[in-house]
Amino acid sequence: MPPAAHHLLPVLIALSGSSLAKSPPAPHEVPDHLMLFDFEGAFDPGTVVTTDAKISLVGEQDKALRVETGHQHGGPGVTLIKKEGSWDLNPYHDVKMDITNQGEFPADIIFKVGNPSDGMEAWQMEIRMNLKPGETKTFVNDITTTPWRFHPPLELLAMRAAPGQSKSDLGAINQVSLMIAYPEHKHELLIDNIRATNPVRWIKPDDFLPFIDRFGQYVHADWPGKTYSVDDLKQQAREEDRHLSQNPGPKHFNQYGGWANGPQLEATGFFRAEKHEGAWWLVDPEGRLFWSHGVGCVNIIPAQTGTTDRESYFEWLPAKNSEFGRFYDKAYRASHGYYKTLAKRETYNFTASNLYKKYGQKWHREFRRFAHRRIRSWGMNTAAVASDPTLCRDGITPYTETVWVYNTKKIEASNGYWGKFHDVFDPSFRQQLKRALSSRKAMAKDSWCLGFFIENELSWGAEGSLAMASLASPPDQASKRVFIEDLKKRYGSIEKLNEAWGSGHASWQALLESTTRPNRSRAWPDLRAFDARIAETYFSTVREEMKAVAPNTMYLGCRLAWANSDVVIRTAAKYCDVISKNKYEFNVTNVGLPEGVDKPIVIGEFHFGSLDRGALHIGIREARNQSHRGELYTVYLESALRNPYIVGTHWFQYGDQSPTGRDDGENYNVGLVDVCDRPFPELIEKVREVGHGMYQLRHGASKDGGMIQPLKPSKVDTMRELEGMDTRSN
């Protein structure tokens, strides 16, 4: 959002040239739009690259491009490439495309500008929308974070999205692309008038800093519910206390949040999963049907943010020896972004600081007390991943425990957003898993513990990739040695392996010492088989060690994300009590399992964000405003409640991230509450509405045939997944 006029006096300058280092020309030199493709005149179809699609021009006077896609590829569509040279899109805020769905089925469309090599930039340069049959929409892809930019340039560090910045190098864009994400059917689209629009305004950066106030909020905008004083915080607490007392939560919830008025099943004293009347459910310790309507990261750190090298961003940071000095902390190298380059850095926790201002010395206790009351009042019943350990042990709200496995030997040539994959054949994997689980013995006896997630968003990659990475790793890699022993048993001699793979290894020792990757298609049966063995070893080892510590506690899986092969999902189903998937979709109607697999699924993460309340980044899925966030929440939850596999959804996350970002730069509007601990009322209204009616909706759907049977598993979520990029983080 643009800065308010009383904070910044925009100097309107137009732009030309490929670099911000150049002085922009006069405003009249920038046209109001730049047409990239309109398919008129001498349009050359040879500039279109198709993937499982065919194209044709239609129309007499006003031509458009018809795109007819198949459904054999995960992302059929077209890439349109400028015939010569490139466009300089620096002068513009967005790129638009008119699209009509002429097919019979809804289309989940991804529209991307450019082709950045960096995975994060590639994701930022795409937009995804749904298009109903017969519907025409103009897709708007913002290529800058705000409709204004700085001149001279002002670089803002360590933020996933920052004001006045471009999302990629806009000086040499030469292509746009459109695809349909994992379609079940053939589709027919008309596309036209692909153009850059809305020339950016140019402002001097002189008065922009600082841009974060003493509560951790964006300075240069006002909005309903913004906190301006400590008195605002205290008054909000008093008003909410009265409201929660008047609205304590659904009367049909038992103490665990299970359906007190529903069927009575066997009470075991622990949570479990069970199929009831054709749909999967969880069952609470009292034997009541339970559907996990939860929220993750119910903790005191969402707005903890780095201050090192960014002190000028904040209008107030307390002295180290003051009463607020306790909210500083030291942190080490981050996983991504600017702070990945620093071995040490300093942070300040605005979440905790604001809670202290709001509640005084008992701020942590009051945080927990209000969180429990809110969750119940809102019709929720689960404190999900990475929630405050003390809050989880209060015996008030069911929770999930997350076990992280550190310091294992990794497959050296593997890669992924969160790092390399465990070498599950190396003894360190089982050793470190045992060590991590040894501290969870108390939770194993806790009836409030819903189950254990073991790790998060592991980098399984495309099928065969871990086997390939094993072969490309050094000779001392345990997974490589195991793979080669498997190959010896199958082929007997290196000559027979070479014949099958089309390779030329002189001996088995030569193969061990080689880091060359084989021809994927020739080696495919062996790559697939070893990938399956890795999955089998991982899940069986985890289940064995977890159940040795917590035999009555559910194993909730590893929170699968991005593209995961049938092999991984089938193996997870074999060993997990519940399969967990992080699904950033607009609905989860088609979230299912491979043919023949019947297991419950919990959605570990989803959210929608908007920019209307001081946020600088929407997160993974965009909403127009806070009211729209609520509408999208309703659609998502109702689709989950009607899906017979899904036994819960966990929103990511409880509190908004800082506008200046967490350690890896994420600065998303993802919270149910803002950085000042104020709930977003429009969103909460819908959370409460669907939460209070969820048991009646799910049970009624299973009784009257209202369940929606997924067609098949949704294997990919976004453009970056289709390209094999693990670029999202949570």
Side-chain angles (χ1 to χ4, degrees), residues 374-426:
R374 285 170 171 173
I375 288 171
R376 178 55 65 100
S377 175
W378 299 344
M380 304 182 95
N381 57 15
T382 307
V385 65
S387 290
D388 185 301
T390 307
L391 177 144
C392 292
R393 311 300 180 262
D394 283 338
I396 298 174
T397 302
Y399 65 93
T400 63
E401 181 66 16
T402 307
V403 179
W404 309 96
V405 185
Y406 298 113
N407 301 319
T408 66
K409 177 76 173 177
K410 302 297 194 298
I411 299 176
E412 190 59 36
S414 65
N415 58 69
Y417 188 82
W418 294 116
K420 302 177 188 298
F421 197 87
H422 301 291
D423 188 337
V424 296
F425 301 103
D426 188 273

Side-chain angles (χ1 to χ4, degrees), residues 396-678:
I396 298 174
T397 302
Y399 65 93
T400 63
E401 181 66 16
T402 307
V403 179
W404 309 96
V405 185
Y406 298 113
N407 301 319
T408 66
K409 177 76 173 177
K410 302 297 194 298
I411 299 176
E412 190 59 36
S414 65
N415 58 69
Y417 188 82
W418 294 116
K420 302 177 188 298
F421 197 87
H422 301 291
D423 188 337
V424 296
F425 301 103
D426 188 273
S428 65
F429 176 65
R430 188 181 290 269
Q431 291 166 1
Q432 295 301 322
L433 175 62
K434 279 177 176 285
R435 180 174 297 178
L437 286 165
S438 66
S439 62
R440 269 60 177 202
K441 292 180 180 178
M443 282 73 88
K445 300 176 182 178
D446 188 357
S447 66
W448 294 88
C449 182
L450 199 69
F452 287 9
F453 293 116
I454 312 291
E455 304 188 279
N456 176 57
E457 298 184 340
L458 292 172
S459 302
W460 294 98
E463 189 171 358
S465 62
L466 292 179
M468 189 82 81
S470 296
L471 290 174
S473 293
D476 63 347
Q477 189 81 59
S479 64
K480 184 173 190 175
R481 289 179 172 272
V482 172
F483 193 5
I484 290 176
E485 287 302 314
D486 286 354
L487 295 172
K488 286 180 180 179
K489 291 176 183 177
R490 178 174 182 186
Y491 290 101
S493 69
I494 194 67
E495 290 78 16
K496 288 185 178 179
L497 174 77
N498 287 334
E499 182 181 353
W501 284 15
S503 54
H505 301 292
S507 65
W508 291 112
Q509 183 63 30
L511 174 58
L512 181 66
E513 294 174 359
S514 172
T515 55
T516 302
R517 296 171 187 260
N519 179 291
R520 185 181 180 87
S521 60
R522 296 284 293 270
W524 178 244
D526 299 313
L527 295 173
R528 190 174 191 275
F530 193 66
D531 248 31
R533 184 169 179 185
I534 290 174
E536 178 78 16
T537 303
Y538 173 83
F539 285 109
S540 64
T541 303
V542 171
R543 182 175 182 86
E544 180 181 339
E545 295 300 336
M546 183 196 145
K547 292 299 183 177
V549 171
N552 299 311
T553 306
M554 288 193 295
Y555 173 24
L556 302 177
C558 58
R559 296 160 55 83
L560 298 168
W562 308 305
N564 292 286
S565 69
D566 278 8
V567 168
V568 172
I569 296 173
R570 287 180 183 278
T571 310
K574 182 177 176 181
Y575 292 102
C576 299
D577 297 300
V578 177
I579 297 172
S580 50
K581 294 186 175 188
N582 296 349
K583 300 298 290 186
Y584 287 89
E585 300 279 3
F586 290 107
N587 68 72
V588 285
T589 296
N590 284 332
V591 171
L593 296 168
E595 187 175 353
V597 177
D598 189 12
K599 266 289 174 76
I601 298 169
V602 65
I603 303 297
E605 293 181 17
F606 76 105
H607 66 226
F608 310 101
S610 68
L611 303 180
D612 62 331
R613 300 284 165 87
L616 302 177
H617 198 304
I618 60 168
I620 309 299
R621 289 285 175 258
E622 182 176 9
R624 295 187 298 272
N625 50 44
Q626 296 302 317
S627 294
H628 192 217
R629 289 180 83 200
E631 293 170 14
L632 292 174
Y633 190 95
T634 299
V635 170
Y636 193 102
L637 260 290
E638 289 186 352
S639 72
L641 287 162
R642 293 181 182 277
N643 186 315
Y645 293 108
I646 296 177
V647 294
T649 57
H650 299 165
W651 174 272
F652 183 86
Q653 58 183 24
Y654 183 74
D656 249 11
Q657 295 171 340
S658 169
T660 46
R662 68 180 193 184
D663 59 355
D664 63 354
E666 275 194 17
N667 56 341
Y668 299 167
N669 169 224
V670 296
L672 299 179
V673 304
D674 66 17
V675 297
C676 293
D677 193 49
R678 182 190 293 267

